[in-house]
Amino acid sequence: MFWKKEKPKFEVRPLYSIREELELIKKFCWQPKLAAGKIYTEKEIDAVEQRLDFKLPLPLRELYLVLGDYACDKKDTYFCRPEELHWSGKYLLVEAMERTSLGHGIYRKDPYASVYRWSRDDVNAYGEEKPEKPRSEVVRKSGRPQYFSKLCFYWDILIIHHVLDKVLWDWWNQHETRMTEELSPFYISFSLPKPLEEMRKVREGLERWLIPVSSKPELMRMELSGKNVGPEDYVVYAYTDPDRSILLLSFSAQQQYGLITREPVPYSFVEQVEEKTGMLFWSKNGQGRERVDEKEKEMREAGLFQR
């Protein structure tokens, strides 16, 4: 048997519509990849729901309707395309990782439409497909709801973070194809300080001009961990400017931000961003790197990389 369904240990909120956020992010996606994919229609999604005899969570519908299969590329973590969605017993696989057996999906009888995590038996520990056809994509007794984590409980959060990660790494891996000695569409900030008080100052500096991509704080905040951490201690996952011309995305592991522009810009544009935010940025074409290195040296000597 699968894990017994439990009642969430915190207040359940309705799923947010993330269509407005996805429409904004779409403008900053790697456009060749977006253009090469398929955007699904309401009629096509309705047909999938009729086939499954199940109403998909609103944020998942919006992912397919706005970005199509942009997030479905089977490299690392991916969403299943609508035509690939099918029931494995009472479970519907929605998101998976190519190189592991980890999967996330929906339990048919869960009234909260929460995110379930399980192990898949259609891949081995190295992400390689097994030669035999599996009886089920869900390993018996492995289904578990994410009630222990507010971050993973909601499909709107999981989807928006996955899409932002994909946008960031697409630019990180491919932006040099649009970079010249003078222009670049992607810049990287200096490392963020570790002490909580200093992190607050960075966020205050950013928010004097920038605004979070979403007005719904739950979608954009990454809570900090450690001693004496309070509700005011968090990093905002994604910012944009009032004109929607830039996207500032957090490298959560590296504690940096990546600055994406819709078109390649000269470093003079980035200097305007620096003046307004108090941060420094550098590009792989070399611009700004010495300034950022010097800034990080000063921060290191001041002990700002220690908490």
Side-chain angles (χ1 to χ4, degrees):
M1 296 177 62
F2 293 106
W3 284 77
K4 183 179 179 181
K5 182 177 62 177
E6 301 176 12
K7 185 177 180 180
K9 297 179 176 62
F10 51 88
E11 183 179 356
V12 179
R13 63 165 171 80
L15 286 171
Y16 290 132
S17 167
I18 56 174
R19 182 150 197 160
E20 182 177 349
E21 291 86 349
L22 293 177
E23 293 285 3
L24 170 61
I25 295 167
K26 183 177 182 179
K27 299 175 182 177
F28 295 92
C29 291
W30 187 254
Q31 295 301 314
K33 184 175 291 185
L34 184 66
K38 172 181 172 58
I39 302 297
Y40 295 92
T41 65
E42 292 274 6
K43 184 176 180 180
E44 288 172 320
I45 302 302
D46 290 343
V48 170
E49 291 182 334
Q50 185 175 7
R51 171 174 62 81
L52 296 173
D53 190 26
F54 185 80
K55 187 72 173 177
L56 298 176
L58 178 61
L60 185 59
R61 284 183 61 97
E62 292 172 330
L63 172 68
Y64 296 135
L65 292 171
V66 177
L67 294 181
D69 61 6
Y70 175 78
C72 302
D73 186 21
K74 289 183 170 57
K75 292 181 179 178
D76 197 27
T77 304
Y78 64 91
F79 278 85
C80 297
R81 291 177 170 82
E83 59 268 22
E84 296 172 333
L85 295 173
H86 66 277
W87 291 105
S88 174
K90 298 177 182 178
Y91 287 81
L92 184 70
L93 181 69
V94 175
E95 183 200 51
M97 295 184 68
E98 183 187 39
R99 296 192 296 270
T100 76
S101 60
L102 177 66
H104 291 96
I106 298 166
Y107 179 57
R108 184 192 284 270
K109 294 186 177 181
D110 181 2
Y112 306 105
S114 55
V115 177
Y116 270 69
R117 172 178 175 171
W118 62 71
S119 296
R120 299 177 295 137
D121 64 4
D122 58 335
V123 294
N124 60 25
Y126 302 99
E128 300 168 345
E129 293 186 5
K130 293 183 177 181
E132 68 276 10
K133 185 177 180 180
R135 294 178 59 187
S136 170
E137 288 188 349
V138 183
V139 173
R140 185 173 173 82
K141 297 185 179 180
S142 72
R144 179 177 298 185
Q146 300 283 56
Y147 292 148
F148 58 87
S149 170
K150 291 185 179 181
L151 179 64
C152 293
F153 180 73
Y154 297 104
W155 282 107
D156 45 22
I157 293 178
L158 188 142
I159 290 171
I160 205 78
H161 283 204
H162 173 96
V163 170
L164 289 171
D165 271 338
K166 183 167 181 57
V167 170
L168 178 63
W169 291 110
D170 274 352
W171 280 103
W172 174 266
N173 293 324
Q174 303 181 71
H175 75 279
E176 292 182 33
T177 63
R178 300 190 65 194
M179 185 176 69
T180 68
E181 292 184 359
E182 301 296 330
L183 304 175
S184 177
F186 184 75
Y187 293 84
I188 308 159
S189 75
F190 60 77
S191 300
L192 301 181
K194 298 296 184 181
L196 296 176
E197 187 61 36
E198 296 299 323
M199 286 288 288
R200 293 171 195 158
K201 292 179 182 177
V202 171
R203 194 179 70 245
E204 290 169 1
L206 292 173
E207 293 180 350
R208 291 191 188 100
W209 174 52
L210 300 175
I211 54 178
V213 165
S214 175
S215 61
K216 310 173 186 75
E218 298 93 330
L219 298 181
M220 290 294 112
R221 292 183 179 180
M222 293 185 297
E223 297 179 1
L224 300 179
S225 60
K227 294 182 180 180
N228 303 317
V229 174
E232 71 279 15
D233 299 313
Y234 57 87
V235 173
V236 174
Y237 203 84
Y239 288 103
T240 189
D241 63 313
D243 295 329
R244 306 298 195 270
S245 63
I246 69 172
L247 190 65
L248 192 65
L249 297 181
S250 171
F251 287 85
S252 57
Q254 289 82 359
Q255 289 292 288
Q256 292 177 290
Y257 280 101
L259 173 63
I260 302 171
T261 59
R262 293 170 63 177
E263 296 293 336
V265 296
Y267 198 71
S268 58
F269 175 89
V270 179
E271 289 177 320
Q272 297 175 29
V273 176
E274 292 176 337
E275 183 178 350
K276 292 178 178 179
T277 63
M279 300 186 77
L280 299 179
F281 295 87
W282 64 276
S283 168
K284 284 190 175 181
N285 63 13
Q287 298 183 89
R289 187 58 190 262
E290 291 185 3
R291 297 169 64 210
V292 169
D293 287 346
E294 184 62 29
K295 173 71 172 181
E296 292 188 341
K297 180 180 177 181
E298 293 175 1
M299 294 171 67
R300 190 175 296 105
E301 292 174 349
L304 297 183
F305 292 152
Q306 299 176 1
R307 179 175 293 171

